[in-house]
């Protein structure tokens, strides 16, 4: 979207002091009040010929190699009825069939939040940032690295809720290892619904756990509303290369039957789950995603979906995963183009990801590199935008704050530049002539509060002040910031009857089954 240009009078009169309402309007002219859309256009990495070649490769994979649906006869029957060739558990698609089956998925849709002000749109020029996902460990400067608990999970839900730079509460922000495996989904969704009023994700580790999560959403939103609107997402990981197991395809079908958003996320590490080259990784990701999206539409036409991915390169000498590397960033940009051509919202395979074990310079370099490609790609949803360390094994409290700060700066940048009479400010030059400063001009007074992005982290100040204050690193300053945020947390309101119904549901489901720790 180009910056807006408005014609100006050639000789404007000096500005007068304005009232509070007018000053608020002036600020809104420069910085939008809600940062959930992008005004900077997506970067188009590949031309038409390259994109067609990637799509042709994806069709070739689906036609000649196919995908496997292991243990899910219902999914196999749905594919067979749609015209795919099913032999045992292998499913092959004639050229173009998978794309044709994906065509009924919406190009954009609303993901409703408990607080309507927090409802987001996936697709178009909208962008939705959310925290990391799936880490079994957490870390902070006070207690080091340790297994995550439900208390840690709840802390990160609170932090995500409080941040204006995250639009989504996330899913398994960290794995609460002090809760039995078969009951964790109940506590996690309960926390998302109670402690936040932003969109959230449900469990997918079994079809029944997916049903539990949807039932909890029905308690809060109402069954009729859930039947006709997406209020939650389920993340369906493909067991790359080219396999859907019955846990994933079964959970996919549960979410699709309930008309809830399904994010199909192939996970390809180049050289392990697919060939090493970026082109092959992109084409295989497209093939696997189309198969999953096609299944959602066979279960329920029009079911909202997201074309997801998680991809990484590897150090082929050691086998270690690498993040923020140029090859993976190229795949990120290519997949956003392919997703837009497929006609569905795209979840980036990037985010603020890193292989670093600490919230240090490497962590932020990896994360910034990956996030630049992510934001430039034009994707619609960014997972792992905050907190990720150690290749996803750890959620760091300090990294979460450092990443939030970077998210805010990126969101501000992608609002682009407004060019109009107010932002060019000819009156300032009439008020402050050559050799004078502009600190006290009427224009500066009107806009100083919102003119520039303000960091979440305390200002380190000049060297002498920084030294006198303990020579704190950015991570140390972030440590104080997350503690301040949690101390100031206020739970969003929920009707007492709804709270009670949720608590009773969770208690009943937990009592209905023995604890399982694996």
């Amino acid at each position: 979207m180009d910056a807006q240009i408005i014609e100006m009078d050639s000789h404007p009169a000096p500005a007068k002091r304005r009232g509070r309402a007018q000053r608020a309007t002036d600020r809104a002219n420069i910085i939008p009040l809600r940062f959930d859309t992008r005004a900077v256009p997506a970067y188009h990495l590949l031309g038409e010929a390259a994109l067609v070649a990637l799509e042709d490769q994806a069709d070739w994979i689906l036609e000649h190699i196919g995908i496997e649906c292991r243990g899910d006869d219902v999914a196999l029957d749905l594919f067979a009825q749609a015209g795919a060739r099913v032999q045992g558990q292998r499913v092959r698609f004639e050229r173009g069939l998978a794309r044709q089956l994906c065509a009924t998925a919406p190009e954009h849709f609303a993901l409703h939040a408990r607080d309507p002000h927090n409802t987001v749109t996936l697709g178009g020029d909208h962008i939705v940032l959310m925290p990391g996902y799936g880490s079994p460990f957490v870390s902070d400067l006070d207690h080091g690295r340790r297994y995550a608990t439900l208390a840690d999970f709840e802390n990160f839900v609170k932090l995500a809720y409080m941040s204006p730079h995250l639009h989504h509460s996330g899913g398994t922000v960290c794995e609460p290892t002090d809760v039995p495996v078969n009951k964790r989904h109940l506590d996690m969704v309960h926390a998302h619904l109670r402690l936040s009023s932003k969109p959230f994700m449900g469990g997918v580790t079994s079809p029944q756990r997916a049903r539990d999560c949807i039932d909890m959403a029905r308690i809060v939103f109402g069954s009729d509303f859930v039947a006709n609107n997406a209020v939650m997402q389920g993340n369906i990981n493909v067991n790359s290369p080219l396999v859907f197991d019955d846990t994933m395809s079964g959970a996919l079908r549960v979410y699709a039957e309930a008309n809830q958003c399904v994010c199909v996320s192939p996970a390809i590490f180049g050289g392990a789950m697919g060939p090493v080259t970026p082109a092959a990784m992109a084409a295989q990701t497209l093939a696997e995603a189309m198969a999953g999206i096609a299944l959602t539409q066979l279960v329920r036409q029009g079911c909202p979906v997201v074309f997801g991915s998680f991809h990484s390169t590897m150090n082929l000498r050691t086998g270690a995963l690498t993040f923020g590397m140029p090859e993976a960033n190229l795949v990120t940009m290519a997949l956003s183009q392919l997703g837009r051509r497929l006609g569905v919202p795209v979840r980036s395979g990037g985010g603020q990801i890193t292989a670093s074990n600490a919230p240090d310079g490497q962590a932020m370099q990896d994360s910034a590199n990956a996030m630049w490609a992510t934001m430039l790609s034009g994707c619609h949803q960014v997972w792992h935008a905050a907190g990720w360390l150690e290749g996803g094994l750890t959620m760091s409290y300090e990294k979460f704050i450092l990443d939030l700060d970077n998210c805010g700066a990126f969101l501000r940048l992608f609002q682009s530049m407004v060019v109009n009479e107010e932002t060019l400010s000819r009156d300032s030059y009439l008020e402050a002539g050559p050799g004078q400063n502009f600190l006290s001009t009427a224009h500066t007074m009107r806009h100083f509060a919102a003119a520039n992005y303000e960091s979440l982290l305390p200002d380190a100040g000049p060297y002498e002040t920084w030294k006198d204050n303990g020579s704190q690193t950015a991570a140390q300053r972030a440590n104080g910031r997350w503690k301040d945020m949690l101390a100031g947390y206020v739970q969003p309101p929920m009707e007492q009857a709804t709270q009670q119904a949720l608590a009773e549901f969770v208690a009943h489901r937990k009592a209905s089954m023995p604890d399982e720790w694996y």
Side-chain angles (χ1 to χ4, degrees):
M1 185 183 302
D2 293 329
Q4 184 180 7
I5 299 178
I6 299 177
E7 291 189 14
M8 303 180 297
D9 295 333
S10 57
H11 301 289
K16 298 179 180 180
R17 295 286 181 181
R18 306 187 187 189
R20 180 181 298 174
Q22 183 59 55
R23 290 197 299 272
T25 300
D26 292 335
R27 288 195 296 270
N29 286 337
I30 294 182
I31 301 180
L33 297 179
R34 179 170 176 174
F35 292 176
D36 64 351
T37 57
R38 57 184 299 130
V40 174
Y43 176 69
H44 293 168
L45 174 72
L46 301 176
E48 180 68 16
L51 293 168
V52 169
L54 291 175
E55 291 168 341
D56 180 72
Q57 173 72 358
D59 276 339
W60 180 89
I61 291 172
L62 291 174
E63 181 178 15
H64 294 281
I65 309 301
I67 57 104
E68 290 191 358
C69 284
R70 295 182 178 174
D72 190 342
D73 291 338
V74 174
L76 293 170
D77 288 343
L78 287 170
F79 280 131
Q81 292 169 20
R85 290 181 287 120
V86 178
Q87 296 175 306
Q89 299 185 103
R90 185 74 63 93
V91 182
R92 293 181 175 86
F93 300 81
E94 296 297 332
R95 183 168 296 270
L97 176 59
R99 181 174 293 270
Q100 177 186 332
L101 295 174
C102 294
T104 55
E107 191 169 1
H108 55 82
F109 60 92
L111 184 61
H112 292 270
R114 183 160 71 81
D115 179 350
H117 292 97
N118 292 328
T119 293
V120 298
T121 298
L122 289 170
D125 290 326
H126 296 269
I127 188 159
V128 174
L129 305 186
M130 56 186 280
Y133 186 104
S135 301
F137 300 101
V138 297
S139 70
D140 63 63
L141 296 185
D142 302 291
H143 303 101
R145 181 182 186 264
R146 61 195 184 278
Y147 278 106
T149 66
L150 182 59
D152 291 308
F153 181 91
E154 292 179 343
N155 282 343
F156 281 114
V157 171
K158 292 174 183 178
L159 291 171
Y161 167 67
M162 296 180 74
S163 172
H165 308 319
L166 295 181
H167 311 95
H168 193 294
S169 187
T172 306
V173 187
C174 61
E175 193 78 36
T177 60
D178 55 340
V179 180
V181 170
N182 60 325
K183 299 178 181 180
R184 289 175 188 171
H185 65 291
L186 297 165
D187 285 322
M188 288 190 287
V189 171
H190 196 196
H192 280 304
L193 287 169
R194 285 185 301 110
L195 304 178
S196 175
S197 60
K198 293 182 177 180
F200 67 99
M201 302 184 72
V204 295
T205 51
S206 80
Q208 181 55 54
R209 293 170 197 168
R211 291 187 192 96
D212 287 341
C213 298
I214 293 168
D215 286 341
M216 293 174 73
R218 288 174 176 140
I219 292 172
V220 173
F221 290 90
S223 295
D224 290 342
F225 190 85
V226 171
N228 296 292
N229 299 277
V231 302
M232 63 192 303
Q233 294 178 282
N235 176 41
I236 305 303
N237 282 124
V238 184
N239 290 329
S240 304
L242 304 167
V243 172
F244 287 83
D245 64 34
D246 58 342
T247 297
M248 288 290 98
S249 62
L252 177 153
R253 290 191 288 105
V254 169
Y255 278 97
E257 288 165 0
N259 198 37
Q260 297 309 297
C261 174
V262 175
C263 183
V264 181
S265 299
I268 300 175
F269 303 149
M273 291 88 159
V276 297
T277 54
M281 291 168 63
Q284 182 181 327
T285 299
L286 176 61
E288 293 180 357
M290 284 198 299
I293 292 171
L295 181 56
T296 67
Q297 300 308 296
L298 292 175
V299 173
R300 181 165 180 161
Q301 285 195 1
C303 170
V305 302
V306 170
F307 171 16
S309 69
F310 183 75
H311 53 268
S312 173
T313 53
M314 299 174 62
N315 183 324
L316 296 175
R317 292 183 176 86
T318 67
L321 296 180
T322 54
F323 296 95
M325 295 297 106
E327 295 80 10
N329 292 341
L330 292 170
V331 176
T332 294
M333 289 188 278
L335 289 177
S336 286
Q337 287 185 270
L338 293 168
R340 287 194 296 272
R341 288 164 68 93
L342 188 61
V344 297
V346 178
R347 168 222 160 175
S348 170
Q352 303 209 79
I353 52 180
T354 177
S356 178
N357 297 312
D360 56 11
Q362 179 195 341
M364 300 315 296
Q365 177 175 300
D366 289 348
S367 295
N369 287 344
M371 195 64 166
W372 267 112
T374 297
M375 296 295 284
L376 286 171
S377 75
C379 67
H380 304 105
Q381 188 170 23
V382 182
W383 299 14
H384 313 310
W388 172 292
L389 269 187
E390 200 185 341
L393 288 175
T394 298
M395 278 290 286
S396 160
Y397 282 86
E398 287 77 30
K399 176 88 168 12
F400 195 92
I401 298 301
L402 294 169
D403 287 341
L404 286 187
D405 200 34
N406 213 24
C407 285
F410 269 111
L411 289 171
R412 175 63 186 88
L413 174 67
F414 278 78
Q415 302 312 298
S416 191
M417 177 192 296
V418 175
V419 180
N420 60 23
E421 182 176 354
E422 178 64 20
T423 63
L424 290 173
S425 186
R426 288 184 178 177
D427 60 316
S428 292
Y429 296 97
L430 298 174
E431 192 175 342
Q436 299 178 348
N437 72 68
F438 290 76
L439 292 174
S440 62
T441 63
H443 184 268
T444 299
M445 292 296 101
R446 290 198 301 273
H447 297 294
F448 77 93
N452 300 320
Y453 173 71
E454 187 170 346
S455 172
L456 295 171
L457 297 175
D459 188 352
Y463 178 84
E464 291 78 11
T465 302
W466 171 74
K467 186 176 180 180
D468 289 343
N469 289 335
S471 306
Q472 287 195 335
T473 65
Q476 289 171 323
R477 299 198 302 275
N479 177 270
R481 180 61 175 156
W482 69 257
K483 292 174 182 175
D484 289 343
M485 288 179 68
L486 289 178
Y489 168 80
V490 177
Q491 185 171 330
M494 177 184 284
E495 291 185 1
Q496 184 63 36
T498 303
Q499 291 189 52
Q500 183 175 345
L502 270 178
E504 290 175 352
F505 179 90
V506 170
H508 171 74
R509 288 293 298 133
K510 284 187 172 183
S512 71
M513 51 187 150
D515 292 352
E516 296 177 1
W517 290 97
Y518 55 90

